[in-house]
Amino acid sequence: MIVPKPVEQEPRPGTFVLDERTSLTADPALSEVAAWLRGELAPVTGGELLPGTGPGTITLTLGDLPPEAYRLTVGRDAEIVAGGPAGAFYGAQTLRQLLPPAVFRKAPAGALTAAGTYVEDAPRFGWRGCVLDVARHFLTKHEVLRFIDLMALHKLNVLHFHLTDDQGWRVEIRRHPRLTEVGAWRRESQTGWNGAMDGRPHGGYYTQDDLREIVAYAARRHIMVVPEIDLPGHTQAAIAAYPELGNLDTPLEVRTTWGVGVNVLNVEDSTIKFFQDVLDEVLELFPSPYVVLGGDEVRKDQWRASPAARRRLAELGLRDEEELQSWFIRQFGGYLAARGRRLVGWDEILEGGLAPGAVVASWRDEWGAVAAARAGHDVINCSNTSLYLDYRQGPGEEEPVPFGPVLTLEDVYAFEPIPAELRGDPAAARVLGAQCGVWTELIDSGRGVDYMAFPRLAAFAETVWSPAERDLPAFRERLAAHLPRLDAIGVEYRRAGGPLPWQTRPGVPGRPETAEQWQAKLDAWTSNLR
């Protein structure tokens, strides 16, 4: 009962026994995977899983396979043949799932057995991601590392790390220390989407050493951490720290409410240089070939009212503020390209013309994915109608995050990363994959992340790893076997019957009660973007 479903699995004779006598042998190129697996299994067995031979040997070897592919044969022994370290790691994750759930507690459990089986597996898409928003509500380094482990268990390989927004700046920039001294803290937070204020200060940030640790931890689990530094919108925290970045003479505070804000960066050369300084340090911390620069939900009101922005428009010979935003984004697209990196932007970057080589993260349904792919740009499907895990999971009043339309486990499982309009079109090859989103405006703790992400993240993982065919009853059967693994890890996921008592938060004011009210609110947001 493997999640996500492998390409092929069939029974084989024999039984594998994991106990204190188990040994582990690996090709030198797979030594890091072997060290990780040893660290997972040794606390369970009480042994050391040293290299050796004999009954109960785990062997990791290289074979003629794609880098993320593997073959796992389990009988008296367990052998993983992989195309590279990533494939070996995924094979090791599958081996763990074949063992009883007690293996996930990482505590002495006596002898554990796995029935003989053969698995042949490889992912359908190369980009299997999740957005983790730590700007709206800060998560500790420990909580981020734990989430990385949960992503790895489900064979996801991209952590899109949303580090900055109106409500908080979470990455230490030594050249501009006020970004965290001021921008990492807000005096209170909105409790519902249009609700009351909680009156409690909130904040936090990651030091550069924290971020190096997070990146290295993820890399050992074959997860690429892609940072997001939002601009030119979603920047009120930065403007609060450095008012000269904005368009107003009036000082701002770090934003305490949610939604699309009006405060955006100005388009001065000094502001572009400021954020290039920021990116100089970000690129040192994140080796990812991709960097997300947002570009979404940029209200143009301040640019229209700004004499400096109007002058810039005239100097550049641009038609309107949409083209001005594209010009602004291109300044960073060229900067990144010169350093061997690729810009990723939300689909709003299409509106005034795409920067050369930009990757489009299509979130407003799937129209951006279709448009960008047909224009010759790579795309990531992030459809808000199917993959936003901050949306409520049921219609009941007891849901702890009563926001958005209902997005059930079954809805997520039905998602197809290739938009219908691209199926059969050569442009479909431009779809790198997909990613779900854990946005945290209304998720204020690690426990809340557990509840909103799981088990829906398991359903998403299957849409990006497994073959395109869907079999909901079979998935439910595998999920029933998978949930005890999450229990063993301590994941406080949403149960089939609804929230547990501690997970309820009734009476949050200002929430949209119906899908119709939610759609009206979404329409209002969209109309404010221009």
Side-chain angles (χ1 to χ4, degrees):
M1 296 294 184
I2 302 165
V3 176
K5 179 185 176 183
V7 172
E8 180 182 338
Q9 183 178 10
E10 61 185 41
R12 289 287 173 88
T15 299
F16 175 76
V17 178
L18 177 74
D19 60 19
E20 71 279 3
R21 298 170 298 172
T22 301
S23 60
L24 181 104
T25 301
D27 186 290
L30 304 178
S31 59
E32 191 171 85
V33 178
W36 173 84
L37 184 58
R38 192 172 283 116
E40 295 296 310
L41 300 183
V44 178
T45 67
E48 298 183 63
L49 280 84
L50 297 174
T53 58
T57 298
I58 301 171
T59 305
L60 309 180
T61 62
L62 289 172
D64 187 17
L65 295 169
E68 292 191 299
Y70 69 91
R71 294 192 299 263
L72 169 63
T73 305
V74 176
R76 180 183 180 215
D77 301 315
E79 181 187 35
I80 298 169
V81 179
F89 180 78
Y90 300 135
Q93 290 285 16
T94 296
L95 176 61
R96 291 172 77 212
Q97 290 196 22
L98 293 172
L99 291 159
V103 76
F104 291 93
R105 295 194 181 96
K106 294 183 70 173
L112 301 176
T113 61
T117 191
Y118 173 77
V119 176
E120 192 166 313
D121 207 6
R124 183 179 173 209
F125 291 98
W127 189 293
R128 307 180 301 280
C130 181
V131 179
L132 184 61
D133 173 15
V134 294
R136 273 54 175 267
H137 278 101
F138 180 70
L139 294 173
T140 66
K141 179 177 68 174
H142 171 78
E143 289 170 321
V144 174
L145 298 180
R146 178 178 179 272
F147 192 79
I148 287 169
D149 276 327
L150 291 169
M151 288 180 61
L153 172 62
H154 295 86
K155 301 184 174 76
L156 300 181
N157 68 344
V158 179
L159 173 62
H160 175 153
F161 208 18
H162 186 76
L163 289 162
T164 72
D165 216 294
D166 293 324
Q167 297 83 10
W169 184 282
R170 307 295 180 211
V171 50
E172 177 190 24
I173 302 297
R174 291 172 178 165
R175 204 172 310 180
H176 299 296
R178 286 176 58 82
L179 286 170
T180 47
E181 291 171 358
V182 174
W185 314 94
R186 60 177 183 263
R187 59 182 172 82
E188 60 182 347
S189 305
Q190 188 177 355
T191 58
W193 194 255
N194 286 324
M197 309 304 292
D198 64 9
R200 297 180 300 170
H202 178 84
Y205 67 93
Y206 308 102
T207 68
Q208 295 199 357
D209 284 343
D210 289 336
L211 292 167
R212 289 188 184 95
E213 181 180 346
I214 288 168
V215 168
Y217 190 89
R220 288 193 293 272
R221 288 148 183 82
H222 298 275
I223 291 174
M224 173 176 63
V225 182
V226 178
E228 180 172 2
I229 305 297
D230 252 318
L231 54 84
H234 290 282
T235 48
Q236 186 166 323
I239 297 168
Y242 292 94
E244 64 270 23
L245 300 174
N247 296 278
L248 305 176
D249 294 329
T250 307
L252 298 173
E253 65 173 359
V254 177
R255 194 173 182 203
T256 59
T257 56
W258 317 126
V260 181
V262 299
N263 294 298
V264 301
L265 299 176
N266 63 46
V267 292
E268 299 297 320
D269 290 337
S270 57
T271 296
I272 293 170
K273 177 63 168 60
F274 180 99
F275 276 89
Q276 288 176 345
D277 289 347
V278 167
L279 289 172
D280 283 345
E281 297 191 30
V282 169
L283 297 187
E284 290 179 2
L285 298 170
F286 296 93
S288 159
Y290 302 92
V291 177
V292 184
L293 295 184
D296 59 309
E297 298 178 325
V298 181
R299 294 276 293 270
K300 310 298 193 304
D301 310 65
Q302 291 181 351
W303 285 356
R304 292 188 186 100
S306 165
R310 303 304 300 173
R311 284 195 302 273
R312 179 69 90 178
L313 257 174
E315 290 168 4
L316 297 170
L318 302 176
R319 289 181 301 178
D320 54 24
E321 287 75 18
E322 305 302 330
E323 289 192 357
L324 182 60
Q325 178 178 331
S326 287
W327 171 83
F328 190 91
I329 292 291
R330 282 193 182 102
Q331 307 313 299
F332 296 97
Y335 163 91
L336 291 174
R339 290 155 180 80
R341 311 295 183 98
R342 294 185 70 185
L343 182 151
V344 180
W346 298 103
D347 56 50
E348 285 91 337
I349 68 172
L350 284 159
E351 293 171 1
L354 278 172
V359 179
V360 173
S362 177
W363 72 278
R364 293 178 295 179
D365 203 353
E366 294 182 331
W367 72 269
V370 175
R374 286 180 173 163
H377 286 258
D378 290 340
V379 299
I380 305 156
N381 195 335
C382 313
S383 172
N384 67 326
T385 57
S386 299
L387 299 178
Y388 271 31
L389 303 187
D390 54 326
Y391 291 174
R392 54 187 173 155
Q393 301 177 73
E397 294 291 310
E398 72 278 7
E399 287 296 324
V401 182
F403 169 66
V406 174
L407 184 66
T408 66
L409 175 81
E410 292 77 15
D411 293 331
V412 175
Y413 186 72
F415 166 73
E416 167 51 45
I418 303 293
E421 289 186 51
L422 290 180
R423 290 168 208 167
D425 187 326
R430 288 288 186 176
V431 179
L432 301 178
Q435 62 187 25
C436 57
V438 180
W439 301 101
T440 61
E441 286 95 336
L442 304 184
I443 305 174
D444 59 6
S445 68
R447 298 179 85 182
V449 169
D450 272 9
Y451 177 85
M452 297 304 291
F454 295 97
R456 291 186 295 183
L457 186 138
F460 167 72
E462 196 146 303
T463 70
V464 285
W465 178 279
S466 304
E469 298 77 19
R470 301 283 189 275
D471 185 338
L472 182 58
F475 171 72
R476 285 181 174 142
E477 186 178 356
R478 287 195 310 283
L479 183 63
H482 188 62
L483 293 179
R485 300 169 191 143
L486 300 184
D487 288 328
I489 295 168
V491 178
E492 297 181 278
Y493 56 86
R494 186 184 192 274
R495 308 281 165 164
L500 297 173
W502 77 264
Q503 295 168 326
T504 63
R505 189 177 3 173
V508 177
R511 70 192 191 210
E513 298 291 348
T514 67
E516 290 74 19
Q517 288 173 304
W518 156 249
Q519 187 60 52
K521 184 176 291 294
L522 182 62
D523 291 343
W525 292 343
T526 304
S527 69
N528 285 331
L529 298 183
R530 298 181 183 276

